Amino acid sequence: MRKFKTESKKLLDLMINSIYTNREIFLRELISNASDAIDKLHFASLTDSSIKLSPEDMAITVSFDADARTITVSDNGIGMDADALEKNLGTIAHSDSQEFKQTNAEAQGDDVDIIGQFGVGFYSGFMVAKQVKVITRAYGSDETNCWSSDGIEGYTIKACDQRDTHGTDVILTLKDDVEGKDGEEGDDYSRFLSEWALRDLITRYSNYVRHPVQMEVSKTRTIEPPEDAPEDAKPEYESYTELETINSMTPIWKKRSADVSDEDYNEFYKSTFHDFEDPARTVSFHAEGTLSYDALLFVPGRAPFDLYSKDYQKGLALYSSGVLIQEKCADLLPDYYNFVRGVVDSADVSLNISRETLQQDRQLMAIARRVERKIHSELVAMRDNEREAYEKVFENFGRGLKYGIYSSYGVKASELSDLLLFWSAREERMVTLAEYAAALKDGQDTIYYACGDDRERVSRLPQVKSALELGYDVLLCTQDVDEFTIQAMRGYHVDAVEGEGDDARDELDLTFQNVSSADFDLASDDEKEAATKAAEDNKALLDAMGKALDGKVGSVTVAAHLSDAVATVSASGPISLEMERVLSQDPAAADNLPKSERVLELNANHPVFAKLAEAQAAGDTERVDLYASVLYDQALMASGLPVDDPIAFANNITKLM
Ligand code: ADP
Ligand code: MG
């Protein structure tokens, strides 16, 4: 027996126990080596005309024997002679493939796409196997050799006669299962010994390896009934096996989009990302040069059920030379585009030896930036050209975009704000902020919005009605995150537009205003004057009402313009009523809830106001108090806010009747 060199022994131990986090990748590594072996033979044939290959016969086969507990990966590639066996499999971390790639790339000035580069993948077999046997014959040799090892002490190399053509069989004898105890999980190696499990591993990790990966698969078929069988005879079935190519080989993302049909993209999306609906948008792009890669992205047609849960993992699948490196590479997507699914394939990203982690992320960051820009421009294109489809996308994923603005403290606002849609109270449809800005009233420099949990109810707020009456549009916001997003945006910048008459527009910085804030005020100067006068004339009444509502409102005032409503509550200060409502839904915040400072605004033109003034003049404090309570509660309800004491409210109404 030849012993592994000391360093190798340590390394091997490290390999088997620490480098890989995931045992099941052993098959990926063996298939990658087999694929490299076929490629090497192919490259050799390019310069050596004595090598006659029939490309259609080049294949990798995977088989298993449940009784013997073996899994075999075979190829008809270049094979190894005794020296190569010694050199390649006797030394850990020696990658002949890496050398091959370099010398050939120099010789042919061509890109040689070989997967191997670290010289450790082969040994990952020892994570699951107690013995690994390699039976191999080099191309053009008539000698077969067998390398065998337990992965601990050393290995043997012997001549043998188990192969009569070029190529390699790698035979793993799986370790014994270990039962879990004391609640610890055991080790189940037997799970790999099934057609289903192997097929799953092949399609997951090696689906896009460029050579066919084949397996004998069991099937059933109906037996032709004999001529004289009765009409109603039950059909009979028989099982048989058939060699089937398991992997799909051609990575669809490497093709130019002009060569792929929409159906093919949709099928790929649905089968790869387990969705039953077609994607809303498919984006394919390719980069060449110092960093080359292919990317295929999809905007799903619906939101996955767990999109807004903690368990949701964003990310794109990352491949290198057709081999899956990471199923969800999170670094490739910003949080606000977490809904995008897809694939990035680059032979240029530097991989860690386990392939599961990336070594240095400069290249990855460059790809991520491009991906982000691409998603943005695609969404913009959709917004402008396929409005209906975009509105659906926004319905599904808009919350995430808004959250992106909020959680970046507005840093992302300039990029994301133009992707937002809000419900326009005037137009009764979703509009962008640019569309709102294009329909400003003369002299308007504010975007008005109103919040609540129900659009219908928000649209009936007195302030919304009065804004509309006066010719201002109001955006109706019904998502929790809306007001936080709007505050984070701070303002909205409109670029100057050149043109004639109405088309021309100066550059403009718009601010946002919640119509439920106390300083919201669209009234005319006359109305304001009238309101101030009414407030002065009724100072005693307002004070009395303020006292009656002590602790609930900061003040009671006369509103300048309130349409036909009798009273409304608004908030002064930084915390709006909507924010208070949203925050109050978080049980963790309940103890320390920031409160808005409420103001009760009265409509001095409403007949009820005259009644109030009458009661005040008659010195009927009881009646003034009662009116104050009822008006306040009523205004709260109209704003979608809870009434403090519904029973007291009901009693008060009864008293009035
Ligand atoms: P890498 O693939 O990164 O080079 P591995 O540990 O997977 O490292 O394999 C080590 C070397 O063993 C390879 O570079 C290759 O020369 C050789 N080898 C492994 N498997 C095969 C095979 N099926 N056919 C021919 N050579 C192989
Ligand atoms: Mg390898």
Side-chain angles (χ1 to χ4, degrees):
M1 185 194 305
R2 301 170 215 212
K3 302 227 165 189
F4 287 118
K5 303 196 181 83
T6 332
E7 318 82 79
S8 296
K9 260 176 83 172
K10 273 193 214 140
L11 195 57
L12 188 60
D13 189 54
L14 203 69
M15 273 287 320
I16 301 169
N17 298 306
S18 340
I19 288 184
Y20 293 105
T21 49
N22 195 355
R23 261 181 206 154
E24 63 191 26
I25 56 86
F26 77 91
L27 194 64
R28 171 188 80 180
E29 295 300 325
L30 298 183
I31 290 174
S32 297
N33 286 349
S35 169
D36 282 351
I38 294 174
D39 279 333
K40 286 177 192 169
L41 186 55
H42 170 74
F43 282 119
S45 76
L46 298 179
T47 48
D48 182 348
S49 57
S50 72
I51 302 180
K52 298 266 179 290
L53 295 179
S54 31
E56 66 280 4
D57 294 337
M58 307 309 287
I60 301 158
T61 40
V62 175
S63 58
F64 72 99
D65 179 337
D67 297 327
R69 296 180 67 76
T70 57
I71 294 175
T72 304
V73 178
S74 305
D75 65 72
N76 49 8
I78 198 155
M80 286 175 273
D81 58 20
D83 285 350
L85 267 180
E86 169 77 43
K87 195 170 90 177
N88 296 334
L89 303 186
T91 329
I92 300 163
H94 168 86
S95 174
D96 206 43
S97 295
Q98 176 69 8
E99 276 170 27
F100 179 90
K101 188 156 133 180
Q102 273 155 2
T103 39
N104 275 271
E106 277 160 26
Q108 303 186 358
D110 196 10
D111 219 14
V112 181
D113 198 1
I114 288 272
I115 303 161
Q117 55 171 314
F118 297 113
V120 294
F122 170 80
Y123 305 94
S124 66
F126 288 110
M127 290 193 293
V128 298
K130 57 184 177 189
Q131 194 205 31
V132 177
K133 238 186 194 173
V134 178
I135 298 163
T136 181
R137 179 186 288 211
Y139 185 87
S141 159
D142 48 14
E143 191 186 292
T144 305
N145 282 291
C146 175
W147 179 99
S148 169
S149 171
D150 61 359
I152 303 168
E153 284 301 323
Y155 56 94
T156 57
I157 297 177
K158 285 191 206 131
C160 65
D161 56 3
Q162 281 155 283
R163 249 200 110 90
D164 45 20
T165 52
H166 59 90
T168 305
D169 304 309
V170 179
I171 306 164
L172 307 182
T173 306
L174 297 193
K175 294 184 189 180
D176 301 326
D177 293 343
V178 180
E179 258 193 56
K181 50 175 181 253
D182 303 335
E184 294 246 343
E185 228 178 282
D187 291 315
D188 176 13
Y189 300 100
S190 304
R191 72 192 162 103
F192 297 120
L193 293 167
S194 81
E195 193 180 301
W196 180 85
L198 293 173
R199 177 192 276 274
D200 176 54
L201 293 186
I202 296 167
T203 49
R204 196 127 46 91
Y205 293 102
S206 308
N207 205 21
Y208 305 103
V209 163
R210 70 178 101 187
H211 302 291
V213 180
Q214 302 178 324
M215 201 163 88
E216 282 290 339
V217 294
S218 40
K219 302 191 165 177
T220 50
R221 62 186 159 204
T222 44
I223 305 173
E224 273 300 310
E227 295 271 308
D228 55 355
E231 284 277 311
D232 58 350
K234 274 201 188 135
E236 289 199 39
Y237 299 95
E238 64 177 353
S239 350
Y240 66 106
T241 62
E242 194 173 78
L243 196 63
E244 196 180 283
T245 298
I246 308 295
N247 59 334
S248 76
M249 289 182 280
T250 9
I252 192 169
W253 56 84
K254 288 209 187 271
K255 299 186 186 168
R256 305 290 125 167
S257 50
D259 302 331
V260 184
S261 70
D262 287 351
E263 287 80 57
D264 286 347
Y265 275 136
N266 292 351
E267 270 322 303
F268 171 79
Y269 167 77
K270 288 190 279 195
S271 59
T272 311
F273 300 108
H274 312 292
D275 198 349
F276 49 80
E277 245 176 66
D278 286 343
R281 190 149 183 113
T282 303
V283 187
S284 148
F285 62 101
H286 312 272
E288 267 142 43
T290 41
L291 180 59
S292 59
Y293 54 90
D294 304 284
L296 179 59
L297 310 178
F298 298 96
V299 175
R302 64 187 185 102
F305 69 93
D306 58 348
L307 181 63
Y308 295 111
S309 83
K310 275 203 302 292
D311 302 329
Y312 181 79
Q313 283 185 314
K314 63 164 184 168
L316 300 176
L318 180 67
Y319 285 81
S320 181
S321 302
V323 178
L324 180 67
I325 306 303
Q326 261 183 31
E327 210 154 349
K328 282 194 175 168
C329 180
D331 291 343
L332 286 170
L333 284 179
D335 282 343
Y336 39 87
Y337 295 147
N338 67 353
F339 53 89
V340 174
R341 315 296 309 265
V343 173
V344 166
D345 188 347
S346 174
D348 291 342
V349 288
S350 19
L351 305 173
N352 184 295
I353 52 171
S354 71
R355 289 175 210 275
E356 275 141 72
T357 42
L358 302 153
Q359 211 154 39
Q360 149 218 99
D361 47 11
R362 210 155 35 88
Q363 294 138 316
L364 204 66
M365 287 304 138
I367 301 177
R369 269 197 303 279
R370 171 88 191 277
V371 164
E372 176 174 355
R373 280 203 303 273
K374 191 74 188 175
I375 296 172
H376 184 262
S377 66
E378 290 291 325
L379 291 176
V380 166
M382 249 186 127
R383 179 198 69 195
D384 295 344
N385 307 319
E386 295 170 46
R387 185 56 175 256
E388 207 177 310
Y390 183 71
E391 287 186 13
K392 178 120 190 285
V393 167
F394 189 78
E395 196 180 305
N396 285 327
F397 309 115
R399 181 191 290 270
L401 302 179
K402 292 174 187 171
Y403 195 75
I405 294 177
Y406 167 63
S407 60
S408 69
Y409 302 104
V411 173
K412 289 285 163 193
S414 60
E415 268 165 79
L416 297 177
S417 59
D418 278 321
L419 295 177
L420 303 186
L421 296 175
F422 294 96
W423 185 263
S424 150
R426 181 163 63 197
E427 306 208 7
E428 299 194 318
R429 66 178 184 99
M430 297 300 272
V431 297
T432 61
L433 293 175
E435 286 160 357
Y436 182 99
L440 292 178
K441 198 178 153 165
D442 266 349
Q444 181 184 355
D445 57 4
T446 305
I447 298 177
Y448 297 107
Y449 66 96
C451 299
D453 54 6
D454 179 83
R455 181 187 296 157
E456 187 50 39
R457 202 148 34 160
V458 182
S459 73
R460 290 197 309 254
L461 282 178
Q463 297 97 323
V464 173
K465 281 194 181 165
S466 67
L468 289 175
E469 274 171 17
L470 295 168
Y472 299 96
D473 195 5
V474 181
L475 301 176
L476 306 186
C477 303
T478 49
Q479 272 184 343
D480 289 356
V481 65
D482 282 337
E483 177 138 46
F484 296 88
T485 303
I486 287 172
Q487 302 236 341
M489 281 195 274
R490 274 171 232 128
Y492 178 73
H493 180 81
V494 187
D495 287 327
V497 176
E498 286 187 38
E500 305 257 322
D502 278 355
D503 293 338
R505 199 171 57 199
D506 285 336
E507 183 182 27
L508 194 60
D509 278 306
L510 297 172
T511 52
F512 288 95
Q513 190 176 41
N514 189 328
V515 297
S516 302
S517 70
D519 44 8
F520 168 73
D521 170 14
L522 294 174
S524 65
D525 288 346
D526 288 351
E527 284 174 319
K528 282 183 200 165
E529 215 171 284
T532 318
K533 187 162 181 303
E536 275 164 14
D537 293 351
N538 295 282
K539 187 167 184 316
L541 170 65
L542 299 181
D543 288 348
M545 289 179 80
K547 221 155 128 205
L549 295 172
D550 193 27
K552 292 179 177 166
V553 301
S555 59
V556 179
T557 63
V558 174
H561 190 101
L562 259 191
S563 186
D564 51 5
V566 53
T568 176
V569 256
S570 60
S572 71
I575 305 289
S576 73
L577 296 173
E578 167 69 3
M579 285 178 146
E580 186 182 319
R581 186 183 69 81
V582 172
L583 294 171
S584 70
Q585 286 164 1
D586 176 6
D591 292 341
N592 214 339
L593 203 61
K595 284 267 182 198
S596 57
E597 172 139 340
R598 296 178 181 188
V599 177
L600 180 68
E601 299 186 49
L602 301 174
N603 183 351
N605 299 323
H606 199 281
V608 167
F609 190 82
K611 284 254 165 82
L612 273 164
E614 232 169 72
Q616 174 70 18
D620 189 350
T621 27
E622 205 178 308
R623 202 161 182 80
V624 171
D625 289 359
L626 180 65
Y627 268 60
S629 293
V630 171
L631 286 177
Y632 175 65
D633 285 345
Q634 206 188 1
L636 282 180
M637 282 194 280
S639 303
L641 291 163
V643 171
D644 294 337
D645 186 349
I647 295 177
F649 175 68
N651 288 340
N652 285 340
I653 293 286
T654 321
K655 269 190 220 157
L656 279 175
M657 297 197 309

